[in-house]
Amino acid sequence: MKLPKVNLKNSLFALIILLLIIPTTRQFIQIQLHKGLALFSPSIESHSGRDVITNYNWQLTDLNNSSYNFRQAENKVVLVSFWATWCPPCIAELPSLQKLYNDYKDSIEFVFISNVDKSVVSAFLKKNNYTFNVYQPSEAPPNTLFDVKSIPRNFLIDKKGNVVIDKSGAANWNSETVRKAIDGLLNN
């Protein structure tokens, strides 16, 4: 039996496999790959295919155990983001969401939702200098659209409850496309 030839291509392949097996380097590599994918902005839903939020009565709790009813977002432009601290695509897109939050926090409602332990989320926010509020559901969502099975999953919703963007996976939320969509929704 002949052994495989040792060359640069085979050595690099073996190194990549080895790095993906080691948990600490695996997460870093996954985050970097998703950052590359997150260069693209999410797509705007066609007018005819948009889901509509009709029931906003959903109780959430922030990291300080203060109640927040999603009803406060009714008749506003709102961005809802489902994410977790351990999720590489979530980690990859959060910097763009923070930049968007910095510029639009006084104009639209941001609702970041995570089921991760509150102390873990708090430490993660502090470590990364994220300033947005994070909520945890106190009850099941009132509509199936927010019964999210994979993360990250983000929604941009207009004042009438129409879902303008429904994006699963990492994306660039600080893109010109998203900013134009938000500006248009704020002017309607």
Side-chain angles (χ1 to χ4, degrees):
M1 188 164 157
K2 193 174 181 182
L3 290 175
K5 187 176 178 182
V6 176
N7 61 28
L8 183 61
K9 192 188 306 185
N10 289 343
S11 298
L12 283 175
F13 181 73
L15 179 63
I16 290 170
I17 296 299
L18 180 65
L19 290 173
L20 287 173
I21 293 171
I22 302 168
T24 53
T25 57
R26 178 178 55 231
Q27 185 182 37
F28 174 78
I29 291 170
Q30 289 174 328
I31 291 168
Q32 297 311 311
L33 287 172
H34 285 287
K35 280 185 178 181
L37 295 173
L39 294 174
F40 302 101
S41 59
S43 303
I44 308 294
E45 299 287 324
S46 69
H47 285 282
S48 61
R50 291 183 177 172
D51 288 312
V52 180
I53 306 297
T54 55
N55 184 353
Y56 282 78
N57 190 20
W58 186 25
Q59 198 62 42
L60 305 165
T61 307
D62 71 11
L63 299 179
N64 297 318
N65 292 319
S66 297
S67 291
Y68 173 85
N69 193 310
F70 189 62
R71 198 179 280 156
Q72 292 173 241
E74 197 167 6
N75 301 316
K76 296 179 182 178
V77 176
V78 59
L79 190 141
V80 179
S81 179
F82 291 88
W83 69 283
T85 59
W86 49 262
C87 165
C90 302
I91 294 167
E93 76 175 6
L94 280 174
S96 70
L97 283 163
Q98 177 65 53
K99 288 177 184 173
L100 193 69
Y101 174 80
N102 291 345
D103 292 343
Y104 287 96
K105 65 184 171 205
D106 297 328
S107 305
I108 72 173
E109 193 83 7
F110 285 86
V111 182
F112 289 85
I113 301 171
S114 179
N115 285 327
V116 176
D117 182 81
K118 290 178 182 182
S119 63
V120 173
V121 172
S122 292
F124 179 85
L125 294 175
K126 185 176 182 179
K127 176 184 172 194
N128 292 289
N129 296 315
Y130 293 139
T131 59
F132 47 79
N133 291 329
V134 177
Y135 303 93
Q136 293 187 329
S138 301
E139 60 190 16
N143 54 63
T144 57
L145 189 62
F146 290 157
D147 189 17
V148 172
K149 302 292 185 219
S150 66
I151 53 174
R153 178 104 182 256
N154 298 288
F155 302 91
L156 180 62
I157 304 165
D158 71 11
K159 296 174 187 176
K160 295 178 182 174
N162 297 299
V163 177
V164 178
I165 297 174
D166 178 351
K167 173 69 174 138
S168 293
N172 178 9
W173 288 92
N174 192 37
S175 68
E176 197 63 34
T177 302
V178 173
R179 287 176 170 272
K180 283 182 181 176
I182 291 172
D183 292 340
L185 296 174
L186 290 171
N187 291 326
N188 285 337

